[in-house]
Amino acid sequence: MTDATRNLLEQRFDTAFAAPDGVAKLRELILTLAMQGKLVEQDPSDPPASELLKEIEADKKRQVKTGKIKKPKSLPAIDQSDAAYVLPRSWTWSRLGTIGNIFNGNSINAREKETKYAGANGLPYIATKDVGYGLDALDYKNGIYIPESEDKFKIAHQGAVLICAEGGSAGKKCGITEQNICFGNKLFANELFGGIPSKFVLYLYLSPVFRESFNAAMTGIIGGVSIAKFLELPVPLPPLEEQHRIVARIDQLMARCDELENLCTEREEKRLAVHAAAI
C-alpha cells in the first residue's frame, strides 16, 4: 500500500461518521483499491498472473480428463476495450469463465418443495432468499433437502461462490458455500481453478468495478444476466500469492468498518434518547 493510498483510507475512516452512507462508501473504496492493485504492495518475487493462468489451464484439463467437469467452451480473447483501467504489471485481465467452472442450479416448484423435499434427508437446497449480501452465511436450515440419489440436481461443492443472476437481487446477493449444496436456477455457482481463494472472488463480486460490468450485461424486463454473458465478464487477476494478501487486508479493514458501524449505531441511539428526553 502506498502512502497516498494509506492517507486516503485514513481520511475516509476519519470522515465515515459524517454521512449516513459513510461506512458503505468506505467499504466500496476498499474493494475498489483492492481490485486496482492499490491495497497491498506487489512483491517482485511473486509468479505473475500469466503463470497462474497456465496453472488454471492445467487444472482445467485434469478435471476434464477425470470427468469432474465438461470441456468448457472457448471464450473471446481479452482486448483493450475490456480493460476498465490499467493494472499492475504482474496482473492481467481475464474472463470470469476462464478462472472457474460456472453453472446454474435447478428449479423446484412450490408443490414439489412441499410434498417431496420438505424435511427430506439429503443436501440443503439453497434458493435466492437463502443467500445474503456478501459476508453473511447461507441459510442451510430452510427445511428443503435434496436426496443424493436424485442425480438430476447439480451440486455446488464446499467453497463454491454463489451469486444471484436474475431479478431484483441480481448481482447483489452472493456468498460462499460452507458445505455441498443443491441450489436454484437463478443462482450461478463458481468453482475456482488453480487454487484461487473463494473469498477473493467474493470480494470481486462485491466490488464496484464488477457490479458495473454485471449491470451492463443485464437484459430483460425483470433484469438478469445470461450464463453466456456472465462467463465473458472481464475480471482483474492478480498473482495467486497477492490474492491471499489482498483477502487478508480486506478482512482486516472490513472488521474495522464493522466497528465503525457499531459506533454509528450507538451514537444514533444516544442522539434519539437525548432527543426523546428533551421532548
Side-chain angles (χ1 to χ4, degrees), residues 8 15 37 47 54 77 84-85 108 132 135 208 215 244 265 276-277:
L8 177 60
T15 60
K54 292 178 183 178
Y85 45 83
I108 306 177
L135 301 179
N215 291 340
H244 288 285
T265 300

Side-chain angles (χ1 to χ4, degrees), residues 99-173:
I99 66 173
N101 180 38
I102 298 173
F103 53 100
N104 62 339
N106 305 86
S107 62
I108 306 177
N109 63 47
R111 184 176 177 278
E112 278 186 314
K113 280 187 180 181
E114 184 64 30
T115 62
K116 195 173 181 181
Y117 301 117
N121 291 321
L123 297 176
Y125 177 84
I126 302 298
T128 300
K129 67 179 181 59
D130 305 313
V131 181
Y133 291 90
L135 301 179
D136 303 316
L138 306 180
D139 181 8
Y140 300 98
K141 297 181 179 179
N142 59 18
I144 307 300
Y145 300 90
I146 308 299
E148 296 189 47
S149 58
E150 298 215 16
D151 56 6
K152 69 175 182 178
F153 284 89
K154 298 173 187 174
I155 296 175
H157 299 89
Q158 181 181 12
V161 189
L162 299 181
I163 188 169
C164 177
E166 183 181 323
S169 299
K172 300 172 185 175
K173 284 196 165 191

Side-chain angles (χ1 to χ4, degrees), residues 90-103:
S90 57
W91 291 39
T92 189
W93 285 99
S94 184
R95 301 280 182 198
L96 189 57
T98 297
I99 66 173
N101 180 38
I102 298 173
F103 53 100

Side-chain angles (χ1 to χ4, degrees), residues 243-262:
Q243 290 180 33
H244 288 285
R245 296 197 298 272
I246 289 170
V247 167
R249 182 61 58 83
I250 294 177
D251 284 347
Q252 180 187 46
L253 293 174
M254 290 300 173
R256 288 189 61 190
C257 287
D258 291 342
E259 294 171 6
L260 278 177
E261 282 185 326
N262 291 334

